[in-house]
Amino acid sequence: MDDIVKASKLTKKYKNTVALRHVDMEIKRGQIYGFVGQNGAGKSTLIRLLTGAAQPTDGEIELFGKTGARDLARVRSRTGCIIDGPAVAPGLTARQNLEVLRLQRGLPGGKYVDEALERVGLMDTGKKPAKDFSMGMRQRLAIAIAMLGDPEFLILDEPTNGLDPTWIIQIREELTRLNKEKDVTILVSSHVLAELHKLATVYGFIHRGQMVEQISAAQLDERCRSYLCVQTDDPERTSTILEETLKVTDYRVGRDNLLMLTDFIDEPERVADAIVREGIALKSLYVQGDSLEDYFSRLIGGVERA
Amino acid sequence: MPNQLRSEFYRLLHSRSLRLMGLVFGAFLVLFGIMTFTESPFSMGTVRGEQDGIPLINGFIGFSYESSEPSFWELAYTSTAFSGLLWVVFMVLSTDVVAKEFQTGTIKLSVAHGQNIYKIYLCKWVATICVLGVMHYVYSAITSAVTFAYNGVVPSGEELAQLLALVSFHFLVMAVLTAICFTLYVITDSTVAVLAVIPIFMFSSVFVTAIYGDDRNLLAETYLNINPMYHLSQASRFWAEGEVIYSTTLFGVIGIPVLLILSYLLLRRRELK
């Protein structure tokens, strides 16, 4: 897989603050990169550096294998983005907003505009100027602008902000479709971690201007795995029961002889029944695991303690 | 660049501010018609001598003919009398055009797509100049036609060429004014600042002229030479005072490139909020 983004040692300083400190980031073609961080962590700053809206104080950005201001500007024409919320011309209609950018980018014909409007359900907004749109409509227009001209790389800063649940699902499905069918690479930052969890294939966690961790969705799932925890007065016999009666193969023994099962998470009563029937005293039975939010909290908690 | 220019024309032609400024031009035309048919005098200047029996004016004076058969230049002064006010339209529209995209953040979308911010800026200026140019020349054509028709005068080809030169001198100065508005916005990042500073700058030329008269020191002379209102005010004397052509042309030929280069330097490393 070739690199779409390769940022090394990116630093961004403002007068009295360091917004980013030696950040490395790598996004490969076809990935959906979930960018996670608290408010002010540096997500938007990094996105602004990638899009050329700001210049790094130090470090290097490589996009589509190109570096240097001139080459970066050239390859940026293959991207679409939302930066710092929906940027739309308030006095223009949805169609006019898209038409301005279609003309600027030299896209032929009106089909791009129609497609973009259809994707986000804004075909029937007619002469209504964007300033009279609801927040959700403005956000959908910003998404349409980002997708205009079928870019290879989408950079979306909080794309689901202000969207109702129906549109959150539709946009997620559209992004997934673009990724699967057209191999579009996506960088998406969001506060709604549960939403990100349904989309991302790779995660980058940023905290206080530093990249804390970059891991794949599979690795994260492994770390956030849920277990059914069983504690009895006879762990050895319990293991035998689990293996022979319930045919459990994937379990491990934790501290204090705690048995941790990845099966039967939704049917703990079957496990309890099998153990009690053999006359073993069941001390505790509970489901334990991290959500993405829990994982993130633990991660940044660890960083702060360090 | 042609794509960016087409985009800027599209944006400008669909903007509310252009419709509003079109209405202002229309209001000026109505006012002009009323003043013509009521033969009401209009004065935003002074007479400073005469040549061949025709008054030489500093500023804008119209509808004030002393004879029943006014000379060509008196009619020309009259038909361009409101140029002393039209600069407000140039200032408001150009400030709106340059500021809008920075304020709404849409310029970031263009930059993020690899467009050069300075080319966008330049295209905005060119589109603004072209649209305002059309409005200015159409307005001037109407006011001239009304003035000459009302007075029953048919200007010769040479006179029409001179009138076109006068209107063009006004437009050249206004083009510099738009470049000043654009540059000032890039410096201050504030439309309020531009709309406050420019009128003060424009009208200050009147005070400097009043204070120093023709006995100006180098500082006052320089200040007036970089002031659009000063050049607008003296443009109507170009037929009698050849140096006016020189100073107005110099103002445009040097002023526009200098302001555009200054803007380039300011925008080159600009970070978009």
Side-chain angles (χ1 to χ4, degrees):
Chain A
M1 275 199 293
D2 48 341
D3 284 328
I4 298 295
V5 176
K6 198 168 179 183
S8 36
K9 307 241 174 299
L10 275 188
T11 298
K12 180 65 184 171
K13 289 179 186 167
Y14 293 105
K15 270 182 193 161
N16 302 317
T17 52
V18 181
L20 288 180
R21 199 188 299 266
H22 306 302
V23 169
D24 292 329
M25 179 189 242
E26 208 174 278
I27 305 176
K28 295 196 179 294
R29 184 177 294 279
Q31 287 184 338
I32 301 180
Y33 190 99
F35 198 24
V36 185
Q38 294 172 310
N39 282 337
K43 298 190 300 291
S44 292
T45 304
L46 185 53
I47 285 176
R48 284 156 54 76
L49 296 185
L50 292 180
T51 54
Q55 302 302 319
T57 312
D58 199 10
E60 191 178 61
I61 296 171
E62 189 180 304
L63 286 178
F64 295 95
K66 304 285 182 192
T67 55
R70 196 176 288 259
D71 282 339
L72 281 177
R74 199 167 300 137
V75 293
R76 280 192 179 114
S77 63
R78 293 154 70 182
T79 66
C81 61
I82 298 176
I83 320 166
D84 301 331
V88 298
L92 301 182
T93 65
R95 180 173 288 281
Q96 287 167 346
N97 263 285
L98 289 160
E99 188 64 17
V100 164
L101 293 169
R102 183 190 74 78
L103 289 168
Q104 191 184 64
R105 294 171 190 185
L107 299 170
K111 82 172 172 82
Y112 286 104
V113 172
D114 289 338
E115 263 177 26
L117 286 172
E118 212 157 330
R119 261 179 191 157
V120 297
L122 292 176
M123 277 299 269
D124 303 322
T125 49
K127 292 183 176 174
K128 192 175 184 178
K131 67 175 170 6
D132 295 336
F133 283 8
S134 65
M135 194 182 164
M137 286 167 82
R138 270 204 295 273
Q139 189 70 13
R140 274 149 58 197
L141 178 56
I143 292 168
I145 289 170
M147 291 177 177
L148 183 70
D150 297 331
E152 292 171 56
F153 178 36
L154 281 170
I155 301 171
L156 305 173
D157 193 2
E158 307 279 355
T160 52
N161 259 6
L163 294 184
D164 61 47
T166 319
W167 274 105
I168 290 178
I169 294 168
Q170 291 207 33
I171 295 299
R172 188 203 319 144
E173 285 174 353
E174 180 62 12
L175 291 175
T176 308
R177 187 188 70 78
L178 287 172
N179 175 253
K180 294 240 177 334
E181 292 177 12
K182 299 192 172 179
D183 206 20
V184 174
T185 309
I186 302 168
L187 163 62
V188 54
S189 81
S190 180
H191 285 112
V192 189
L193 300 187
E195 181 54 40
L196 212 52
H197 206 178
K198 292 172 185 162
L199 191 66
T201 58
V202 181
Y203 292 89
F205 294 96
I206 191 167
H207 184 58
R208 294 194 175 164
Q210 287 181 297
M211 191 66 89
V212 180
E213 189 170 54
Q214 289 186 91
I215 56 170
S216 71
Q219 285 173 308
L220 184 68
D221 285 344
E222 178 61 36
R223 290 182 195 183
C224 295
R225 208 163 175 185
S226 293
Y227 294 97
L228 180 64
C229 300
V230 184
Q231 201 165 27
T232 65
D233 63 350
D234 190 345
E236 279 177 25
R237 272 183 68 210
T238 307
S239 299
T240 310
I241 292 164
L242 291 176
E243 286 173 20
E244 291 179 0
T245 313
L246 296 170
K247 309 289 180 206
V248 171
T249 53
D250 188 12
Y251 74 93
R252 60 190 171 97
V253 183
R255 210 186 299 166
D256 298 331
N257 287 325
L258 185 72
L259 298 169
M260 299 166 79
L261 289 67
T262 53
D263 296 332
F264 296 103
I265 287 169
D266 298 328
E267 300 171 291
E269 67 282 358
R270 278 189 63 194
V271 177
D273 187 46
I275 293 169
V276 173
R277 196 174 290 172
E278 293 296 326
I280 300 169
L282 183 61
K283 286 182 179 173
S284 61
L285 180 71
Y286 56 90
V287 176
Q288 186 187 50
D290 275 354
S291 63
L292 183 54
E293 280 93 344
D294 295 333
Y295 183 79
F296 177 61
S297 301
R298 259 194 313 119
L299 193 66
I300 62 167
V303 171
E304 286 190 346
R305 277 194 295 279
Chain B
M1 192 90 163
N3 289 334
Q4 287 158 339
L5 203 52
R6 283 172 65 199
S7 167
E8 290 309 327
F9 271 114
Y10 183 91
R11 193 191 296 275
L12 181 54
L13 293 174
H14 287 85
S15 71
R16 203 164 61 103
S17 52
L18 181 67
R19 288 197 290 276
L20 201 64
M21 290 307 112
L23 285 177
V24 174
F25 262 103
F28 273 118
L29 280 176
V30 170
L31 184 64
F32 188 86
I34 292 170
M35 293 190 78
T36 301
F37 293 108
T38 56
E39 297 184 358
S40 312
F42 171 84
S43 177
M44 258 184 71
T46 52
V47 176
R48 39 170 291 168
E50 62 168 56
Q51 185 163 311
D52 305 331
I54 302 164
L56 295 174
I57 62 168
N58 193 36
F60 306 91
I61 294 176
F63 318 99
S64 57
Y65 325 118
E66 294 202 349
S67 69
S68 56
E69 288 181 13
S71 70
F72 163 74
W73 277 109
E74 283 175 307
L75 296 177
Y77 294 160
T78 297
S79 62
T80 57
F82 287 174
S83 293
L85 301 170
L86 280 178
W87 63 267
V88 176
V89 176
F90 279 69
M91 175 187 70
V92 172
L93 188 68
S94 52
T95 306
D96 185 68
V97 169
V98 68
K100 202 69 140 200
E101 276 216 88
F102 285 99
Q103 287 172 341
T104 58
T106 50
I107 196 144
K108 275 185 295 191
L109 299 175
S110 307
V111 171
H113 202 255
Q115 308 275 345
N116 182 316
I117 190 169
Y118 183 67
K119 282 186 184 171
I120 297 170
Y121 174 87
L122 195 60
C123 289
K124 280 185 190 301
W125 183 74
V126 171
T128 309
I129 286 298
C130 290
V131 169
L132 281 170
V134 169
M135 290 165 88
H136 179 75
Y137 281 98
V138 168
Y139 167 85
S140 301
I142 294 172
T143 55
S144 302
V146 169
T147 308
F148 287 108
Y150 184 76
N151 289 280
V153 174
V154 180
S156 65
E158 192 186 342
E159 286 173 334
L160 280 178
Q162 284 190 307
L163 182 59
L164 184 63
L166 173 58
V167 172
S168 298
F169 275 130
H170 284 162
F171 180 64
L172 179 64
V173 176
M174 303 274 206
V176 182
L177 175 66
T178 59
I180 293 174
C181 293
F182 268 59
T183 310
L184 196 55
Y185 180 78
V186 173
I187 294 169
T188 62
D189 223 0
S190 160
T191 50
V192 176
V194 179
L195 297 178
V197 169
I198 294 290
I200 293 169
F201 180 50
M202 294 290 273
F203 286 119
S204 64
S205 74
V206 179
F207 295 108
V208 173
T209 310
I211 291 167
Y212 290 97
D214 286 336
D215 189 25
R216 295 191 281 262
N217 60 28
L218 182 67
L219 189 64
E221 189 67 34
T222 308
Y223 185 76
L224 289 178
N225 274 311
I226 60 165
N227 195 306
M229 185 57 106
Y230 171 73
H231 291 281
L232 272 181
S233 299
Q234 64 169 5
S236 47
R237 296 199 310 273
F238 83 92
W239 62 274
E241 297 174 9
E243 66 273 18
V244 170
I245 298 175
Y246 174 74
S247 67
T248 307
T249 307
L250 206 62
F251 178 64
V253 169
I254 293 179
I256 291 172
V258 164
L259 289 163
L260 294 180
I261 290 167
L262 179 60
S263 301
Y264 170 76
L265 295 173
L266 292 166
L267 285 169
R268 207 168 43 145
R269 300 288 297 172
R270 185 182 174 122
E271 303 215 333
L272 300 170
K273 289 173 191 162

